[in-house]
Amino acid sequence: MLTGWGFFGAAWILLGMSSEALAAGNRFSPLMLAAVHLLTVGFALHVIQGAILLMTPILFQGALFHVGLARLELGFSLFGAAGLVFQFAHAGGRSVACFGALLALAYAILLLNLVRSIRTARRKRDALYTLWPVLWLGVTLIDGLRLAWGIVPNEKALFAHHLTAGLLGTMTALIGLLSPRLLSVFVSSRSSPFARKPRPEPWLFAGVLALVIGGDRPAPFVVGSVLFLTAYGLIAFRALQALRNRRRRELDWPIPWIVAGFLLGLPATAGWLAADWAVRSGTKEAPLFLAALLFHLMAFVATTIAAYLARILPFLRWSVRYDPAVRPEIWKTPDQVPKPRQMMPARPAMFGMAAFPAAAGLFALSVLTGQAFWAEMGAGIGVLGWSAYTAALALMERR
């Protein structure tokens, strides 16, 4: 998870360097491709992998199959992501596929680890639901390898296939599926978000499937969009109901940020779908595609991930230092043991999380006006937000 956060800082710098391409709406410029893959393969993918490996034992009451495999996966994933971004920044070429193959190998190790871990889980049904977005990650990687190797009967269709599987099938679906379950762990509620029927998860998966296989045909795209947005909206509504029926009234400060980021996924995904259809149908709104993509990644994905890190990482650090089972001598003076909510400085972390959607808005303004100045300002605000959040993480480590 911390590795992914490091990639996120590098992504802001690359976005500032590619401000001219962003203002022109050129999503295929080398630096822009490198920046987008830093956000997806470098940042989001690493944090998501770490979170899944961490949460599988906690959420689904199982055991992680093999820690050594997870470390091996991290090595392949790090080298693959760094090499992929470097090659994209230098105009790509077939060598991109070599580093993509390393990412595919890391994915195969992740899948093996998860499948073997889920076999030990008590809550297998919930665990299997979470596995579906991980399978879409495999589709995304295969599509990327096909694009890099030039195995493309229709490059435009495969590109849309690649983005939809990654952005909606993996990231948005995984955040949508994990958020209510994580919130139920963080905030004890009198009702489960998924205690009632109908269950929205099959609608979510059906929506992704229709969007991926529908291509440029209007009917599958409309049906898939409606199914996906309806399912995500129902998940959000039930999560809010469970939050409203919580047992403890007081909330830790990261929880409202998690909820805000989670809810932001609905308009961000709707905007992305509208921009995606504009590209598929060849209308004049295609330049907004890049703005919608970056808004989805930074305002929704990045803000939600940062909010989760603000809740998860302090708890992990607290457990290492103050777990009574590990260090019982510390609890001889309980007044000196801080609470987990006191570990993470709130103000710099909140400033960082507020900076990400603000920067995304400036990127959209840059595309609308065609002026690189707004993109440079957005990248600067993003660097400031990332630096403030990183300082909060460093203070949390010292505490």
Side-chain angles (χ1 to χ4, degrees):
M1 287 189 281
L2 290 175
T3 298
W5 191 255
F7 276 115
F8 191 35
W12 287 112
I13 297 173
L14 266 185
L15 284 168
M17 293 170 62
S18 56
S19 58
E20 294 288 344
L22 198 151
N26 182 9
R27 60 186 185 276
F28 294 117
S29 74
L31 284 179
M32 184 55 64
L33 284 173
V36 169
H37 281 83
L38 260 179
L39 287 169
T40 53
V41 176
F43 166 52
L45 183 59
H46 280 88
V47 177
I48 285 172
Q49 287 181 45
I52 289 175
L53 292 171
L54 172 69
M55 291 302 162
T56 296
I58 297 174
L59 283 181
F60 311 127
Q61 301 173 13
L64 186 62
F65 171 62
H66 205 289
V67 176
L69 278 178
R71 290 172 179 157
L72 183 65
E73 172 205 341
L74 177 61
F76 284 128
S77 185
L78 276 176
F79 191 51
L84 189 76
V85 169
F86 180 81
Q87 290 299 325
F88 270 124
H90 290 79
R94 292 293 178 91
S95 55
V96 168
C98 298
F99 294 102
L102 288 178
L103 288 172
L105 182 57
Y107 166 76
I109 297 172
L110 171 69
L111 194 61
L112 171 65
N113 221 350
L114 283 180
V115 170
R116 294 297 298 269
S117 301
I118 286 173
R119 291 177 62 184
T120 68
R122 293 183 181 179
R123 301 173 62 182
K124 282 189 173 60
R125 185 176 182 181
D126 286 346
L128 288 172
Y129 274 133
T130 308
L131 191 61
W132 278 103
V134 180
L135 296 178
W136 280 115
L137 173 59
V139 174
T140 308
L141 289 170
I142 292 170
D143 288 345
L145 287 173
R146 290 176 62 193
L147 285 167
W149 278 324
I151 310 173
V152 283
N154 185 341
E155 186 174 355
K156 180 183 175 182
L158 186 61
F159 179 74
H161 194 277
H162 173 66
L163 275 180
T164 304
L167 204 64
L168 297 188
T170 303
M171 295 181 195
T172 309
L174 198 58
I175 289 174
L177 291 172
L178 285 181
S179 289
R181 293 171 171 87
L182 288 171
L183 286 172
S184 67
V185 173
F186 299 152
V187 182
S188 178
S189 177
R190 291 188 293 270
S191 62
S192 170
F194 298 107
R196 287 165 295 169
K197 295 181 180 180
R199 294 180 69 95
E201 293 96 328
W203 303 0
L204 201 72
F205 304 145
V208 176
L209 189 62
L211 288 166
V212 168
I213 68 176
D216 296 338
R217 290 171 292 176
F221 190 89
V222 171
V223 170
S225 300
V226 170
L227 283 174
F228 190 92
L229 293 173
T230 301
Y232 192 95
L234 183 57
I235 291 172
F237 175 72
R238 290 186 177 176
L240 288 175
Q241 279 187 316
L243 194 64
R244 184 179 180 182
N245 294 328
R246 64 185 183 274
R247 290 187 174 90
R248 183 168 63 88
R249 292 291 96 188
E250 184 182 1
L251 288 174
D252 296 342
W253 70 263
I255 302 299
W257 285 89
I258 292 174
V259 175
F262 177 49
L263 294 178
L264 194 58
L266 198 59
T269 302
W272 153 254
L273 288 169
D276 187 28
W277 179 249
V279 170
R280 295 191 191 203
S281 60
T283 66
K284 296 180 180 180
E285 303 299 323
L288 290 177
F289 175 87
L290 187 57
L293 174 65
L294 292 176
F295 187 84
H296 190 283
L297 287 172
M298 291 183 297
F300 164 50
V301 176
T303 303
T304 309
I305 285 177
Y308 275 123
L309 291 183
R311 184 62 178 80
I312 294 171
L313 290 179
F315 175 75
L316 294 178
R317 190 60 180 160
W318 185 92
S319 299
V320 169
R321 289 197 172 195
Y322 303 112
D323 187 351
V326 178
R327 302 186 65 183
E329 69 278 3
I330 293 180
W331 287 84
K332 293 178 181 178
T333 54
D335 294 340
Q336 299 180 11
V337 177
K339 296 180 180 179
R341 72 179 72 177
Q342 298 171 334
M343 298 281 285
M344 185 80 171
R347 289 184 179 179
M350 286 193 287
F351 172 79
M353 288 185 285
F356 304 148
L362 288 173
F363 287 142
L365 184 61
S366 177
V367 174
L368 288 171
T369 61
Q371 296 182 7
F373 167 75
W374 298 113
E376 293 168 357
M377 182 176 288
I381 290 175
V383 169
L384 286 176
W386 180 86
S387 301
Y389 195 100
T390 304
L393 289 176
L395 289 171
M396 180 270 294
E397 183 75 11
R398 292 188 61 187
R399 289 179 179 179

